[in-house]
Amino acid sequence: MSAVLSIDNWKSEADRLSFRTEAFIGGKYVAAASGKTFDRINPANGKVLAQVAACDKEDVDRAVKAARAAFDKGAWSRRAPSDRKKVMLKFADLIEKHTTELALLETLDMGKPIRDSSKIDVPGSVNCIRWYAEAIDKVYDEIAPTGPEAVSLIRREPVGVVAAVVPWNFPLMMASWKIGPALATGNSVILKPAEQSPLSAIRIAELAAEAGIPEGVFNVLPGFGETAGQALGRHNDVDCITFTGSAEVGKYFLKYSGESNMKRVSLECGGKTPNIIMADCPDLDAAATAAAWGIFFNQGEVCNAGSRLIVEESIKDEVVEKIKAVGRKLQPGDPLDPKTGMGAIVDKTQLDRVLGYIDTGKKEGAKVVFGGARVRAETGGYYVEPTIFDDVDNKMTIAQEEIFGPVLSTITFTDPEEAVRIGNDSIYGLAAAVWTRDITKALKAARRLRAGVVWVNCFDNGHISSPFGGFKQSGFGRDKSLHAMDKYTELKATWIHIGN
Ligand code: NAD
């Protein structure tokens, strides 16, 4: 099992790895119609890993045709839920069986620590697909209380061809949050991974086929956002876009939909999560540790990263010192070393973006009190130290814009109302947290914070049964839980007249 491998084991496993690099359309691996490819760079060392098919409009047309044909044929869409369940459980088992390989693909492709990809990303993806497989033969349809003259059967039907466009920070897990409920409910799916992290998505396509998912039901199109992503968004025969990524691109999908077939769109976008620590916090060590992991985990490349530490003035220095202590142990290292807690930033563009925000923070008058620099440049990779800013005003750029890097902004308050006001002063509303031993204060804050999830006395906890998604410009629609199935189903009422 992956858990016992050393850095040398992981390195030799990586050397033995071969990459699937083509699109998967209609049950087969195929090159892009144009023959074009793009380089995948390993962010740990800046070296080329693989050349991957650069899909474009023509490939999107092919994939949509295959997906539509499979949907109309009904081998999946009209199959008994209990049969879909068996196939999806096998799919989850196969992903689990290939944990080592898939964890390596994630780590090599986007730089996250192997410890996380093998213990969080791949197991989390398996759990998600299993959960929807297990759920699908347990959800019932409805009969409306219309009265004695009629029976109205309210059925959920698959929406049709679903295109899932996903980001690079948790490539397999974000894909699973979409394909789990979309496949379970009987749709045909086209998955477009981010151009920074296509390898695991391409590989699981053949595992899906091996599990028995019929050809055309699950397709994978690697390629760029402006080309493959846009073509999916504008396609007249795609019924649903399920998107996770930046708010900027989320807005494009709304436009694409309006300018094409009015396809339904659900958006899981960015965040600027306020992590509010009050002076009566029940356990400051736990709060500071959670605050540190909440911003430094996955190099800070987390949509709900606790990037705004909103801390009561009287305990600020103590909390910041404790966060620094965790940060010291979390210095970036080789992602293939199982001891590494923080890996490489996904690519050079993102590295420059993060460093650019650190400069902006300094220019706007905030003070770097920990970290703040690129490190390990000699490896050729893209690493940034865990970074803490103090003296941040919530109006500053670093407190308003999503940095998507290991950069924490510390903001102080003196009364709980002010903390909630600062917390809500953001275009985003993905998540929030509040630490206090006073249940009344906690519940009041939780009700007033405009966010899809509010953690009380913890940070970033979750379960597949609990919905995840945002308010405001963090998007709409929910991943995880049975509520996710709403995105992939149409409600149909069949009205049967039984009166005279
Ligand atoms: P991104 O928006 O740049 O890209 C996301 C996806 O959209 C990729 O597949 C990309 O190829 C595609 N895309 C890019 N430009 C496009 C265009 N013009 N037309 C169509 N498709 C296009 O985001 P990213 O940099 O990959 O990921 C980081 C973002 O994702 C952050 O904002 C983060 O907060 C967000 N995110 C949100 C959640 C959530 O659940 N809310 C989870 C993870 C990441």
Side-chain angles (χ1 to χ4, degrees), residues 166-169 192 195 225 244-246 249 256 269-270 303 402 404:
V166 296
W168 45 260
N169 58 339
K192 196 208 84 63
E195 48 272 45
T244 296
S246 60
V249 175
Y256 301 155
C269 300
C303 50
E402 189 182 39
F404 227 53

Side-chain angles (χ1 to χ4, degrees), residues 165-169 174 177 192-196 223-226 229-230 243-247 249 252-253 256 268-271 302-303 402 404 430 468 474 479:
V165 179
V166 296
W168 45 260
N169 58 339
M174 293 302 102
W177 287 8
K192 196 208 84 63
E195 48 272 45
Q196 297 87 343
F224 291 95
E226 299 74 24
Q230 175 159 198
F243 171 77
T244 296
S246 60
V249 175
Y252 290 147
F253 276 103
Y256 301 155
E268 296 280 357
C269 300
V302 180
C303 50
E402 189 182 39
F404 227 53
L430 187 56
F468 185 84
S474 292
D479 281 332

